[in-house]
């Protein structure tokens, strides 16, 4: 009986170690995997989870996009960005809409924010100005810029 309990405990531990999902970002403690700054801004953080389950955390969406330009690690399984109107909530980058507005500073100075709700994006743009992008357009814009 004891052997069965140990076996069940061992397999439960093994399964929990194989979690391929995002990990919580510990704000004010975790460091950006691109620029090494401490991640403090819940409205602009980002995260990549590879197919092998490794997590890369970023203090700004622009750090993640710049890191993806020269990505030489296992393929990304999940690419997540913070939802500007729901601080701390990560959403899939491909489904988000983006705003670059000089009125909304981001940690690395790209003035880049992500939105899950297009209505919130439009309202924010009406008040702050700026240009909107989808994920493909954003990657294209950053591919034309030099790494900073």
């Amino acid at each position: 009986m004891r052997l069965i309990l140990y076996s069940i405990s061992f397999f439960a531990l093994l399964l929990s170690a194989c979690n391929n999902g995002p990990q919580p970002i510990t704000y004010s403690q975790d460091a950006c995997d691109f620029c090494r700054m401490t991640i403090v801004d819940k409205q602009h953080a980002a995260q990549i989870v590879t197919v092998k389950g490794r997590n890369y955390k970023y203090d700004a969406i622009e750090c993640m996009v710049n890191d993806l330009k020269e990505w030489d690690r296992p393929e990304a399984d999940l690419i997540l960005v913070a939802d500007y109107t729901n601080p701390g909530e990560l959403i899939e980058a491909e489904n988000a809409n983006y705003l670059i507005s000089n009125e909304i500073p981001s940690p690395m100075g790209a003035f880049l924010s992500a939105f899950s709700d297009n209505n919130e994006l439009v309202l924010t743009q009406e008040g702050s100005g700026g240009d909107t992008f989808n994920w493909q357009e954003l990657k294209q814009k950053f591919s034309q810029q030099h790494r900073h």
Side-chain angles (χ1 to χ4, degrees):
M1 185 64 164
R2 204 176 247 181
L3 180 60
I4 293 172
L5 288 175
Y6 285 130
S7 297
I8 291 171
S9 297
F10 173 75
F11 285 114
L13 181 64
L14 188 62
L15 286 174
S16 69
C18 295
N19 182 1
N20 255 16
Q23 294 178 351
I25 295 173
T26 306
Y27 295 95
S28 299
Q29 290 182 15
D30 285 342
C32 177
D33 280 298
F34 183 73
C35 73
R36 299 291 175 222
M37 285 182 54
T38 302
I39 304 171
V40 295
D41 188 338
K42 292 181 178 185
Q43 290 180 299
H44 293 100
Q47 186 173 154
I48 294 174
V49 181
T50 69
V51 293
K52 293 189 174 195
R54 171 84 161 80
N55 291 71
Y56 295 88
K57 299 174 183 178
Y58 302 92
D59 70 324
I61 299 166
E62 55 264 32
C63 282
M64 181 186 70
V65 175
N66 281 318
D67 201 15
L68 282 170
K69 289 191 316 193
E70 299 175 16
W71 192 259
D72 62 353
R73 291 163 246 163
E75 182 183 349
D77 186 37
L78 288 172
I79 301 174
L80 305 165
V81 294
D83 184 357
Y84 182 77
T85 54
N86 296 298
E89 182 179 321
L90 296 176
I91 56 175
E92 289 191 37
E94 195 169 286
N95 297 332
N97 292 299
Y98 300 87
L99 175 65
I100 296 179
S101 169
N102 290 337
E103 299 298 315
I104 305 173
S106 60
M108 296 305 293
F111 301 94
L112 172 60
S113 304
F115 294 80
S116 63
D117 183 335
N118 198 50
N119 292 329
E120 292 290 338
L121 170 73
V122 170
L123 287 172
T124 304
Q125 184 185 28
E126 286 174 357
S128 302
D131 298 313
T132 61
F133 303 87
N134 65 33
W135 177 239
Q136 295 305 321
E137 293 166 339
L138 185 70
K139 289 192 309 182
Q140 180 66 31
K141 178 175 179 54
F142 274 78
S143 72
Q144 298 166 354
Q145 297 176 349
H146 296 293
R147 183 177 171 158
H148 65 279

